[in-house]
Amino acid sequence: MTVNHDPQSKPNFDELTSALRDIYASGAVPDELQSTIQFALNELDTLTQVEAENEEAQRLAALYKVCQMLGTSLDLVEVLNQVMDAVIGLTNAERGFLMLVEEGGTLNFRIGRNFAQETLDLDDMQVSRTVIDTVIGSGEGVVSTNAQDDPRFSKTDSVVSFSLRSLMCAPLKARDQVIGVVYVDNRAREGIFTPDDLTLLNAFASQAAIAIDNARLYTRTDQDLADRVSELETLTRMMQELNTPLELGSVIGITCNWAAKATRAAGSWIAFRDPDTGGLAVMCGSQKDEFIAKDDPLVAGVLSAGTPHVYEPQNGKPARLVAPILIENQVDGVLVVEAPEVFPQKALQFLTRLANQAAVAIQKARFYDDIQRVNDEKSKFVSVVTHELRIPMTSIKGYTDLLRQGAMGEVSEPQKQFLDVIRNNVERMSALVSDLSDINRIAGDRLVLEPGVVFVGERVNVALKALQPALDAKSQMATVQIPADLPQAYADPSRVEQILSNLINNASRYTFAEGQVTIAAAVENGFVKVSVTDNGIGISPEDQTNIFNQFFRSEDPNVRQETGWGLGLHVSQRLAELMGGQMGFESVFGEGSTFWFTLPIQQPAA
Ligand code: ADP
């Protein structure tokens, strides 16, 4: 028996002991040396024991050191690097790999290192699947001193073809689950790893698994958060688009676009339940106007259950995600996205949230459409009625005037009074018809203005002239304060006159006899500002908030004794705005009011 003796290497106590025992047993040892050899053998035993304890201590120290470093980072890539460095350092393996079980159960190669701590990639990963599967399946580590002769693996193709000899594999276990494996090997030499090495690798792997699991949870939470934020951004942007009052068609179109964009689908469509047939009528997307029959699995699945569904691609049909559109807790329709490939799992939850948001907008759009329809009907009705009323009123007015002038014979005083009442009432009705017609046209964007140069002074005089009899009847004094150099305004002259008539008429009606009405104009903030001031009844603070509302009239008896419809100020304000100006007022209850409006200044020709 020879004992290898390399002065550089540590003495091998096992070989030395066995050589000495052989010599001792051979009987060739002289008597005087026997006790010395016996002593040497005892010393060697002690040394072997100390050496073993030392090695164990060193292993534990190394393990302690690498484990300390774990858990300092939550970055998965960094943790995997740390683990791989430590595995190679602890085991002195030629190569090492780490594989992780991913969401969905697949085992993926994540990182590899060689002895020189160089990174290995997937192509270098000639490992034995049998070994890995055994470890994953049993949750126990495996060590083989020479896999070529190991009955467990020697028949395995990979072990033979990759010439694997020494190999070791330990499970990564966290939260009672095998989350992956660490695998080390040496293809050329046998006997590199011992069961003690496996104990060490197992101990390390259990620490490493916790660090990897934590980093994965953190990354996942981080990713989930990022996904949620991006999802919220998408939904917010979609809702911003849907926020303006829109017709149902636009709401459906916008929703389809966002659904396809956000889920990276090839197509998307919305279909609503047809109450008569129970099927689905497609409203947008490539299948627009198609009808999906009641017995189609899609209809049956989603409409009846009211829950979202995933359809895998099959029989030439694409992969589909279907989210119900719930309106007042009833399945009213479906939002569908489709693509040739299966959608990621998260997409369905997102689509469901998108469908819920869209349902709110769809409901709003339906209300909006209903209101539009009713408005259109009302508008048509008002337009017909005002037109039809104008004709008889014109003839009533004309014949009354003729009668009043005595064209049909002499008219007595009482008859004149009756004719005046008729005339006044027709005037009142005519004003109402005219205001209603204006409101109708303004609401339907059909009011046609004829803008041009406006000499405000001229318009004031025309309006005042028509109202002079009313002012005189109450002995009211009207004063006009318009500077000679007042610039011309740019507006529709007849509409300016209409506003002035309304304001002067109000000033007269809501001011006691012998009151004062002042019509003034000046330039203010680049506009011509026209104001009508009276020292009449004024407007109470609570009435002031409603003054421009349609049909508003104060409950004040001084107001109620005058006839009116509460439409003049509303129409006047809208007209001023349509001509590019504004209208407002200041009033002190019991003291008087000033109503004003502004008009753009006529710009000199270029
Ligand atoms: P109408 O005069 O036909 O009632 P308007 O729209 O012109 O309709 O006016 C609405 C209401 O505003 C009036 O009923 C009245 O209560 C109030 N109002 C308008 N002008 C004056 C004013 N100059 N002084 C006091 N109240 C006024």
Side-chain angles (χ1 to χ4, degrees), residues 506 509-510 534 539 547 552-554 559 564-566 568-569 593:
N506 279 355
R509 287 189 300 147
Y510 304 123
D534 63 59
I539 303 163
I547 213 78
F552 173 76
R553 305 203 74 215
S554 171
V559 169
W565 300 101
L569 284 181
S593 315

Side-chain angles (χ1 to χ4, degrees), residues 104-151:
T106 48
L107 185 72
N108 273 356
F109 166 83
R110 292 304 290 260
I111 188 167
R113 280 274 200 287
N114 65 13
F115 185 68
Q117 297 286 20
E118 290 162 337
T119 301
L120 301 175
D121 55 33
L122 191 59
D123 296 338
D124 303 307
M125 206 189 88
Q126 295 162 333
V127 295
S128 163
R129 274 307 295 215
T130 318
V131 175
I132 290 164
D133 290 344
T134 310
V135 173
I136 297 242
S138 65
E140 301 291 333
V142 157
V143 61
S144 183
T145 47
N146 185 358
Q148 300 291 321
D149 293 340
D150 192 323

Side-chain angles (χ1 to χ4, degrees), residues 147-169:
Q148 300 291 321
D149 293 340
D150 192 323
R152 292 173 298 174
F153 313 118
S154 58
K155 294 203 178 57
T156 312
D157 281 350
S158 52
V159 168
V160 177
S161 60
F162 304 148
S163 320
L164 303 176
R165 288 184 198 279
S166 298
L167 57 82
M168 192 157 62
C169 183

Side-chain angles (χ1 to χ4, degrees), residues 521-548:
V523 173
E524 197 177 294
N525 298 327
F527 283 79
V528 172
K529 182 172 178 181
V530 187
S531 59
V532 178
T533 304
D534 63 59
N535 59 351
I537 60 171
I539 303 163
S540 70
E542 53 277 23
D543 285 348
Q544 291 192 13
T545 49
N546 298 313
I547 213 78
F548 290 110

